[in-house]
Amino acid sequence: MGIFTRRSQNTAVQGGAAVATLEVDPALAALTGDYVIDAAHSSIGFTVRHAMVTNVRGAFGEHEGTLHLDGADPARSTASIDVKIASVDTGIADRDGHLRSGDFFDAEAFPLMTFRSTAAAALGGDTYRITGDLTIKDVTRPLSIDLEFNGSATDAYGNERVGFEGSAEILRSDWGLTWNAALEAGGVMVSDKVKLTFDISAIKQA
């Protein structure tokens, strides 16, 4: 059972009748607070089908963000992430340059991709869903990200950390990323569907 859904049950007497009450697990309550994403130990990546037969994987090397975790009421948890588009890296310089160009992200005119949460929910176990607004090239549309809570720990430097990993799928055309090229054998060079991946380590603030 997930740490964000664990509760202990006590019995109280009200008006002569026994009533079960729920108390927040102390381990859960201890996680409540504000966190900063540790970019050096986190990754925000993507996978997209290329030429109909293989996948290209990439990541954004520069990003920053904050989380607020509410152990008593997970629905009040929030997330905010800014991603520097120019930091895109697929391992091939020419391809990265094309992605930064006006054919795709137009990184000079629109340097940031942002996510601002609007809702959060526990799905059961260690799985959660955070919904918010994803903005790319000044186009804002809703996005839901399913996350798995990987646990919490105190690192060697005394930092209290939490970890999450998750994914979401989008159609890039919904955000105005429509460039493509037809293949002689049929189909297109780049699929519309893109899988986003998140591996987040965040440090609790004093």
Side-chain angles (χ1 to χ4, degrees), residues 30-95:
L31 292 181
T32 297
D34 295 317
Y35 294 76
V36 171
I37 293 175
D38 178 8
H41 296 94
S42 302
S43 65
I44 297 176
F46 60 89
T47 303
V48 62
R49 185 64 60 89
H50 176 261
M52 308 295 292
V53 296
T54 190
N55 290 319
V56 168
R57 293 176 173 82
F60 296 94
E62 297 182 41
H63 51 83
E64 60 183 23
T66 59
L67 308 175
H68 174 75
L69 302 183
D70 191 320
D73 184 1
R76 298 178 63 183
S77 298
T78 61
S80 175
I81 301 174
D82 293 338
V83 177
K84 188 175 181 180
I85 292 296
S87 70
V88 65
D89 182 5
T90 64
I92 297 179
D94 287 346
R95 182 166 59 204

Side-chain angles (χ1 to χ4, degrees), residues 86-181:
S87 70
V88 65
D89 182 5
T90 64
I92 297 179
D94 287 346
R95 182 166 59 204
D96 296 341
H98 192 197
L99 288 172
R100 296 184 189 106
S101 75
D103 283 345
F104 286 95
F105 289 110
D106 196 357
E108 185 173 348
F110 307 100
L112 291 179
M113 173 172 61
T114 66
F115 177 79
R116 301 290 184 267
S117 68
T118 57
L123 301 183
D126 286 319
T127 305
Y128 306 88
R129 177 170 295 155
I130 189 160
T131 299
D133 294 325
L134 176 66
T135 300
I136 305 173
K137 296 180 70 173
D138 277 357
V139 176
T140 300
R141 297 180 62 88
L143 174 70
S144 291
I145 305 169
D146 287 350
L147 296 165
E148 182 177 354
F149 176 63
N150 288 337
S152 62
T154 301
D155 67 21
Y157 302 98
N159 297 311
E160 296 182 54
R161 291 179 178 268
V162 292
F164 295 89
E165 62 179 316
S167 63
E169 288 189 351
I170 66 170
L171 298 179
R172 60 188 179 91
S173 59
D174 287 344
W175 280 267
L177 303 175
T178 58
W179 182 91
N180 228 320

Side-chain angles (χ1 to χ4, degrees), residues 9-44:
Q9 181 170 300
N10 290 337
T11 301
V13 176
Q14 296 180 1
V19 178
T21 62
L22 294 178
E23 293 183 354
V24 176
D25 188 303
L28 169 62
L31 292 181
T32 297
D34 295 317
Y35 294 76
V36 171
I37 293 175
D38 178 8
H41 296 94
S42 302
S43 65
I44 297 176

